[in-house]
Amino acid sequence: MKFNFSDSVLGMKPSEIRELNKMASTPGLISLGGGMPSPETFPKKDLEDIMNYVMENYADLALQYGNTLGNDSAREVIADMLKKTEGIQAASKNIIINSGSQQGLYELATVLANPGDTIITEEPTYVGAVSAFSANQLRMEGVEMDQQGMIVEGLEGTIRKLMGDGRKPRFIYVIPTFQNPTGYTMPEERRKVLIEISETYNIPLVEDNPYGQLRYYGKNVDSIRSMKNGENTIYLGTFSKVMTPGLRLGYTIAPDEVMEKFNLIKQALDLATNSFSQYVAMEYVKRGVIYRQIEENKKIYKVKRDRMVSALREYMDGVARWSEPEGGMFVWATLNGNIDTRMMREQAMRNGVAYVSGQAFTTNNTQKSSMRLNFTFGSVEQIEEGIKRIRKTVDSYIEKH
Ligand SMILES: Cc1ncc(COP(=O)(O)O)c(C=O)c1O
């Protein structure tokens, strides 16, 4: 049989991160590559109690198909949680519960754009978003970032240019807080400008915020969705980093008319999100375990973030520059001297350390000398040793080239 594949799948590239996950079990390899939370943050005992409780009290419903947009009580509980943690005022009818925010990204692309349409992202951007958008055959136009996130002055120019070419962008996708991959956070002033640009040009703004609840330093910056005139922003959130990614639960907040379309597409995708997970998450929030766990995660990750930053200062000074994020899960390091981090990756693996090269996150084939380093998964010892091994790799790579 000769299979003929769709243009959409033929246009997709295998993800470097998927390759990396395959390597993760190689003995002795320290992975700073994946984007995984630490299993020590999984609230195992609480989840065990909650799962037993759900089985004892709600088994008939929790094991049944559920509503397409999500369990109504769970949507209310999420609305309530977002008021507390993000200051977001959203009605439960404007929340859809998805199989991870990853599914939310896919839905968004299907609902808001046609194949061949252009959307705007940060450059670099989240590799999973690139995959969801590519699967829908969208063209991505990346707007450059500095340490304050997307350079909004550049955004307006990009929009005008695209409009001049008859390619008005269908939406603007940003991760304004502790961005993946850079760790950068956009200050309030720029967020205001984003809202203004979105309104002026009538281009929907999408805020993806999986890390906002994980701040270790500095003052909170309000989410765009919670700001004045931010109500039209489509907002994605997740339980992956503050409960467990294994239960696959995320959510999207959107205006009424967008919800109607999400409803249609969600039926095509999986009819409804896992009912059992929703019951568990609902109880997890209702009992307040989530708020305790967020504080616990912050304590654990702050120590790891600090160790990564101090190891970078100790071992990478003079050969790289890097972000020192106030929260989230990633540091973005850029090597001096045009070293291609993708080319260097194999050597790094041989030296027992893995990272994701900058090119995995690019929309326009740049970021060649950068790498994303995750500080949540490994132990502090592994983090320090991993950075040491990267330095060793850089030195031998420079010698050979
Ligand atoms: C920016 C961003 N968006 C979305 C996701 C997807 O998360 P999940 O599908 O687990 O909710 C991630 C996961 O790493 C992410 O970093």
Side-chain angles (χ1 to χ4, degrees), residues 55 70 74 78 103 169 178-179 225 237 295 301 341 356 399:
M55 285 309 288
I78 291 171
Q103 188 181 46
F178 316 132
Q179 199 238 15
R225 177 60 179 71
E295 292 312 310
Y301 291 154
T341 53
V356 187
E399 223 167 81

Side-chain angles (χ1 to χ4, degrees), residues 29-68:
L29 181 80
I30 294 176
S31 180
L32 306 177
M36 292 195 281
S38 167
E40 67 191 305
T41 66
F42 298 157
K44 298 184 191 105
K45 182 71 186 79
D46 288 300
L47 288 180
E48 190 184 331
D49 291 348
I50 289 172
M51 286 178 190
N52 287 332
Y53 172 83
V54 169
M55 285 309 288
E56 278 158 25
N57 295 279
Y58 297 102
D60 286 356
L61 292 167
L63 300 177
Q64 189 54 281
Y65 287 112
N67 293 344
T68 305

